[in-house]
Structures are given as structure tokens and as C-alpha cells.
Amino acid sequence: MQEHSPSVATALPKLPKSPTGIEGLDEITEGGLPQGRPTLICGSAGCGKTLMGIEFLVRGIQNYNEPGVLMAFEETASELAANVASLGFDLPDLQAQKMLRVDHVHVDRSEIEETGEYDLEGLFIRLGHAIDSIGAKRVVLDTIEALFSGFPNQGVLRSEIRRLFRWLKDKGVTTIITAERGDGTLTRQGLEEYVSDCVILLDNRVIDQITTRRLRIVKYRGSTHGTNEYPYLITEDGISVLPVTSLQLDHPVSDNIMSSGVPALDEMFGRRGFYQGSSVLITGTAGTAKTTLAASFAEKVCQQGQRCLLFAFEEAPQQLLRNMKSVNIDLASHVASGLLRIEASRPTINGLEQHLVTLHRLVKEFRPDAIVIDPITNLVSVGNTAEVRSMLTRLIDFLKVSGITALFTALVSGRGQHEMTDEGVSSLVDTWVSVRDLEGIGERNRGLSILKSRGMAHSNQVREFVVTEHGIKLLDVVVGPIGIVTGASRLTQQLQEQAQTLAAQQETDRRDRELERRRRVLEANIANLRTEFESVEEELRQINTEAQNRQETLTSGNLRIGAANPPRRDTPAPDEKV
């Protein structure tokens, strides 16, 4: 039996697309708008249809060198140029470079006399000339309702709409056609959405007095696309679409460590700090020094010559600088040096998406190494829990991809829910530090513990800490008969331990003195015995000396006696006469 090798899968052809250059839109459309085909952008007044069309043309010229034509039926060229000048779009300059043609077509029902069958042949000629004159690749028609307003023959209008869309396809230009939203339909005519290859719906809604613009791709022929509603903003830089699940879990990581700013807290981590590019959450009830811990981290970042961006939602910058100076955290000098930037505002001044876009913009401008947001809890006032979680998810993903270390503080309720956050982001962060009140007998103290720290070992102790004029100080763990003691109990325990230590030291000193006394007595006895021995020794030596002297004297006397009395001779000599 002959074996067949598995066939190699061939890559499927993809629909050609024209990138819009609009932040976030290319991401959810998976590359841009269908190239050479018409795209319908519909929505109510004030949702940014015209601006999106103009930005599509301007970004195409600036980023992709594709000339464009803007045919407007409501506003003149000068009015359009003035409207978008504040966004940095210089339409007259682009026209002078022969990269953009702006044509205003005035259609007034009172000036039109319907004498025959109505068609768009004149428009085709005019638009075709504008396209050919600069070799345009992109076209925007704004808005299509003005073109058909006042004509009662709906059959002719629908026929001409189809012909317009077909003509644009035949020209091979990527086109955006804006349309006003109808009653119960996407557009006034109710046909454009069916003949368009891509339909984008813009919506401007107000919920709880908070305005939010949202974008949805209704259809996209020949391509997959994001199907959710995506918030978008109109800022001084143009339109920014913020997809909720835009970023995949694929970003570089670092083994470098950043200090928390509190040396004793660093010692509680296996690597002596946080991973660079990670996200850190500090939760606790009111008054547990969350802001002080965050400020300590910001100060340490700046002391290492790195940049830090601090968002304060509760305190003015001057108040924050003053308060932190009282605990020996000097943020003012770092603000003056340019390493620290403080952005303070009430969360309710903008919606969630505006806060996110503001952060994106500041990150691009300031390029920080670390970001502090104090606290994220206040964002709940401008959105529900799901919206805040969505916003923070995108924020954390954005900061991770950018390699920026993020530290958030969050207020938790004091009803025993110290291991939960209202925003539900505790599972998203890499490191979670909990600070809370440790209530004792008639007093409240502060305690700190590490609930989790991904990628490194960490202490499981609950450490009491105090805020002093020299900053945050973690106290040593004191264990009493019933567990860890804090506050006055800690002091009492320490006094008892000190008393016990003193008593033990005194007992040791007493024993040392007794030993010294006995040593001196023994040494005295030894000295007496040595003296007695020396006396006996001296006496015996004296006796020996005297005995020796007597012996020597006796011997010497005998010798003298012998010398004085020589021996007598009894036999006379030979010549001696008797």
C-alpha cells in the first residue's frame, strides 16, 4: 500500500486592503478598508463621519503616499480646512502639493427644475476629472443625502445609488461615503448599506450624563473583522479607536528588577523588588498609606534617573508634594528635574476612554519608565465595573507591550473584603500587595502582606509598618502567645522581652562575678602555697648549704693539721751517727 505524505496547506488569498492610518481602526478591520471598493460610514449628527473621511485621506497621503479626492456636498473647501486645522491637518498645503483635491458641489432643491429623468452623469464626469488630475487612490463623498435631497422619485434614486457605487468600483479607488442614519435603518435611503462592501456605524450616546462615542463594523465582505462595539475618541490628534481585546498575550518580558522604594518591602520579594514592565496593585482601606507607598516607588524610580508619570485622582499636585515631603519623600525636586510628571484631575472630568487616550498621549510624549495611578477606584464613578475592567485591561496590556512598570492603588471596602477589588483587576496584575488595618485593644495599626507575585518567591508574613518622618518603616515580626502582636501589645511584648533579656544578662553578670571571685580566691591560695613552698625550699637550701660548709671546713682543718705535723722517721739515715 502506497503511503501518501500529507499535503502542504496553501495560503488562502486575502482581500486587498487600504490601511486607514487611524489609530485602532486598522486593527479591528484587520488591515484597513477594502481596497478599490466603497465603504459606507453612517451615523447621527456629531459622531465624526466627516472627520473620519478626511483623516482617511490625510493619513493616506502622509503615510502611504496615496493622493485623494474629497467631494463635499454640504461644506465648502475653506470651511472644511478651518474645521480640521486644529487637528494638524493642513488641507490647503496638501492641495498645493497636488496630493489632494477638495471639490464642493452645491445642490439646492430650490435651484433645480426637474425636467427629465434625473441622473448623476454630471457628477461622474466631475469626480472622474478630479481623480484623474492627481491620480487619486482614495475618495471621500460627504454626505450622500445632500446629493439626493428633495427628489421624490425613490426608484430613480435607488438606481442611481447603485450606479454610483458600481462606477466607483470600476474606477478602482478606495472610497468612503458618509451617510446620515435613518429612522430604523442605517441610512436615510436604506439601500447604501446593502450595496457597500464595508459598513461602519458610528454612534454618539449619553449614559448617566457621560458621553461615549462607539464604533461598530456592521459588515465587511470578504474579510473577518472585529464584531464588538468599540469606543472611539476625537482628540487633538484625530480619531482614536480603542478596541477592547485588541492586544494578544504576546509581548517581551524583562528580568530586570525595580525597587519598591521601601528597602524592607523589597526584602519580602525573592528578587528584591518588582520585575520591570510588570503591573503592581496596592489595595487597602482608607488611611492605610497606599499613596505613600506609591510615592515611595515614584521617588525611587526618579532617583535611579528614570522617568515616572503619576496620575492623581484625589489630590492636587501641590497638596501631594507637601504631604509627601512631611514623610521625607521629596517629589518636588524630581518634578523640577523633569523626571517626574504629575497629572491631577477628577475622574468625572472625562469618560473612561478619554482617560485612556490621555494616558496614551502622555506616554508617547513623556516616554516614562514607570506609571503610577492613584487610585483606580475613582474610575468607577464614570463607568460601571465591566467598563472599568475593560479600560484597565487595555491599559495594562498597553503598558506591558511598552515595557512600562505600572503601579496602581485601589480602595477596598472595610467589610472583610480585603482580598477583592471593586474593579476586578486583581487577577490581571502580576504583583498584589495588600495593606490593611490591624485592630488591637483600643488602637488601629497598619499591616502589609504580599498576596501574590508572579515569577518570584515572596514572604507570607503580615508585617506591621509605620509612617514616620523618615518614610515608611516595616517593623520586625513579634510573636506572642497567641500569634503576631502589634501596636501597644507589640510594645508590651518587647518590654517583657527586654526585661527578660536584662534579667538573663544580670544573672550572667552575677555568675561571671562569682567566677571571678572564686578565681581570685584560688589564685590567692595558690600564691600562699607558693610562698610556703618557697620558704621551705629556702630553709632546706640553707640547711644543705650549712652542711656542705661544715663538711668543707672539716676537710680543710684536717688538711691543715696534717701539714703541721709531718710523719715521724724511726730508722736513722746511713751517715747518721748513733
Side-chain angles (χ1 to χ4, degrees):
M1 183 175 179
Q2 185 178 1
E3 294 184 358
H4 296 278
S5 60
S7 59
V8 179
T10 58
L12 297 176
K14 294 184 178 181
L15 182 70
K17 296 185 179 183
S18 294
T20 64
I22 298 174
E23 183 179 1
L25 183 57
D26 290 335
E27 190 170 1
I28 61 177
T29 55
E30 299 184 5
L33 304 182
Q35 184 176 344
R37 299 186 182 188
T39 294
L40 178 67
I41 297 180
C42 52
S44 57
C47 61
K49 301 184 297 296
T50 302
L51 177 59
M52 182 170 287
I54 293 177
E55 186 167 357
F56 169 71
L57 294 178
V58 173
R59 302 299 182 196
I61 295 171
Q62 295 176 343
N63 301 341
Y64 309 105
N65 197 31
E66 293 186 358
V69 171
L70 171 60
M71 182 165 284
F73 302 105
E74 292 182 339
E75 297 178 278
T76 64
S78 59
E79 290 173 341
L80 290 170
N83 291 343
V84 299
S86 61
L87 304 178
F89 300 159
D90 191 347
L91 300 188
D93 180 64
L94 296 177
Q95 293 180 77
Q97 299 177 27
K98 305 297 183 182
M99 296 296 290
L100 176 67
R101 283 289 300 270
V102 180
D103 192 2
H104 174 241
V105 178
H106 178 67
V107 178
D108 191 341
R109 175 58 179 153
S110 63
E111 299 176 2
I112 297 177
E113 182 179 354
E114 191 170 357
T115 58
E117 186 173 317
Y118 173 72
D119 61 40
L120 298 177
E121 195 61 38
L123 176 67
F124 294 161
I125 295 174
R126 189 166 178 173
L127 183 56
H129 173 72
I131 293 173
D132 296 336
S133 64
I134 61 173
K137 301 295 184 182
R138 303 184 178 207
V139 173
V140 172
L141 302 180
D142 181 52
T143 65
I144 197 171
E145 278 76 21
L147 192 62
F148 300 107
S149 63
F151 291 92
N153 192 335
Q154 297 297 318
V156 173
L157 292 182
R158 296 170 72 89
S159 175
E160 288 303 297
I161 289 176
R162 288 191 182 95
R163 195 160 73 96
L164 172 62
F165 279 63
R166 173 51 57 189
W167 184 87
L168 292 170
K169 282 187 177 182
D170 294 340
K171 290 293 290 185
V173 291
T174 305
T175 307
I176 285 182
I177 300 173
T178 65
E180 296 180 5
R181 191 166 186 178
D183 186 10
T185 58
L186 293 178
T187 62
R188 294 275 184 87
Q189 306 301 325
L191 177 66
E192 299 94 316
E193 58 264 36
Y194 296 102
V195 296
S196 301
D197 290 83
C198 179
V199 177
I200 299 176
L201 176 62
L202 304 182
D203 183 32
N204 188 13
R205 67 188 69 167
V206 179
I207 302 176
D208 294 332
Q209 302 179 2
I210 302 292
T211 300
T212 304
R213 292 183 171 93
R214 297 189 181 275
L215 176 148
R216 180 168 65 92
I217 301 176
V218 179
K219 77 171 185 179
Y220 198 136
R221 289 174 179 164
S223 173
T224 57
H225 57 86
T227 58
N228 297 328
E229 278 194 329
Y230 302 97
Y232 69 97
L233 295 171
I234 299 176
T235 68
E236 59 269 21
D237 297 321
I239 291 179
S240 175
V241 184
L242 306 170
V244 176
T245 56
S246 60
L247 298 173
Q248 298 179 352
L249 294 176
D250 183 15
H251 53 79
V253 296
S254 173
D255 288 332
N256 297 331
I257 298 298
M258 298 187 71
S259 171
S260 66
V262 181
L265 178 56
D266 290 341
E267 294 297 323
M268 296 179 67
F269 293 95
R271 296 290 303 275
R272 306 297 188 270
F274 314 133
Y275 281 118
Q276 182 177 346
S278 63
S279 53
V280 182
L281 177 65
I282 300 177
T283 61
T285 54
T288 49
K290 299 183 297 298
T291 300
T292 306
L293 285 168
S296 299
F297 170 73
E299 182 187 37
K300 188 63 176 181
V301 171
C302 296
Q303 287 176 347
Q304 295 175 344
Q306 297 178 314
R307 293 173 175 264
C308 182
L309 180 61
L310 192 154
F311 285 85
F313 289 145
E314 291 184 335
E315 297 180 274
Q318 296 79 5
Q319 181 181 356
L320 180 64
L321 297 179
R322 182 203 64 190
N323 294 347
M324 293 303 103
K325 186 177 181 180
S326 67
V327 292
N328 199 35
I329 299 177
D330 184 13
L331 299 182
S333 61
H334 302 302
V335 172
S337 67
L339 292 177
L340 176 64
R341 181 169 179 177
I342 301 177
E343 292 290 328
S345 65
R346 290 294 183 187
T348 52
I349 195 173
N350 292 311
L352 291 174
E353 312 309 332
Q354 182 64 51
H355 284 297
L356 183 57
V357 167
T358 300
L359 190 141
H360 276 243
R361 175 176 56 82
L362 291 175
V363 166
K364 291 180 181 179
E365 293 177 0
F366 190 62
R367 299 186 180 277
D369 299 284
I371 284 181
V372 175
I373 299 181
D374 176 48
I376 59 175
T377 317
N378 287 19
L379 295 174
V380 178
S381 61
V382 291
N384 57 43
T385 302
E387 292 172 338
V388 173
R389 180 181 173 87
S390 170
M391 178 265 194
L392 293 175
T393 300
R394 283 173 281 151
L395 172 60
I396 291 173
D397 285 343
F398 168 69
L399 296 177
K400 282 183 177 293
V401 170
S402 304
I404 299 173
T405 307
L407 187 145
F408 310 106
T409 68
L411 178 69
V412 296
S413 64
R415 299 186 300 272
Q417 301 294 327
H418 64 275
E419 294 188 0
M420 297 179 64
T421 58
D422 294 336
E423 303 77 26
V425 297
S426 54
S427 61
L428 301 176
V429 297
D430 300 303
T431 299
W432 185 4
V433 178
S434 173
V435 289
R436 61 183 185 270
D437 289 325
L438 302 176
E439 296 189 10
I441 302 176
E443 63 180 12
R444 304 181 73 179
N445 303 292
R446 297 183 177 101
L448 179 149
S449 61
I450 302 173
L451 298 183
K452 76 171 183 179
S453 184
R454 291 172 178 162
M456 68 174 69
H458 56 86
S459 172
N460 63 347
Q461 289 183 328
V462 178
R463 297 284 299 275
E464 183 183 2
F465 70 96
V466 293
V467 181
T468 70
E469 59 182 5
H470 301 293
I472 290 180
K473 178 182 178 182
L474 269 67
L475 305 179
D476 294 332
V477 176
V478 175
V479 181
I482 58 174
I484 297 177
V485 294
T486 61
S489 299
R490 164 193 286 274
L491 181 59
T492 303
Q493 180 76 13
Q494 289 177 338
L495 291 176
Q496 291 176 352
E497 292 178 354
Q498 291 175 0
Q500 292 174 356
T501 302
L502 180 61
Q505 183 64 41
Q506 291 175 345
E507 179 64 17
T508 301
D509 294 341
R510 187 190 65 79
R511 291 176 180 178
D512 289 342
R513 290 194 300 271
E514 178 67 16
L515 180 63
E516 178 65 18
R517 185 184 64 80
R518 292 186 178 185
R519 184 184 64 80
R520 289 197 298 268
V521 170
L522 290 175
E523 288 180 351
N525 292 335
I526 292 173
N528 291 334
L529 291 174
R530 183 178 291 110
T531 302
E532 182 179 354
F533 173 77
E534 290 176 352
S535 177
V536 172
E537 184 183 33
E538 179 66 22
E539 182 179 356
L540 293 175
R541 187 181 298 112
Q542 184 66 27
I543 292 173
N544 290 336
T545 302
E546 292 176 355
Q548 186 177 0
N549 290 339
R550 287 196 299 271
Q551 183 64 34
E552 291 177 353
T553 301
L554 179 61
T555 303
S556 175
N558 292 332
L559 292 176
R560 288 197 300 271
I561 293 173
N565 299 300
R568 180 181 297 178
R569 297 177 180 162
D570 295 334
T571 303
D575 55 349
E576 183 181 358
K577 294 181 178 180
V578 180

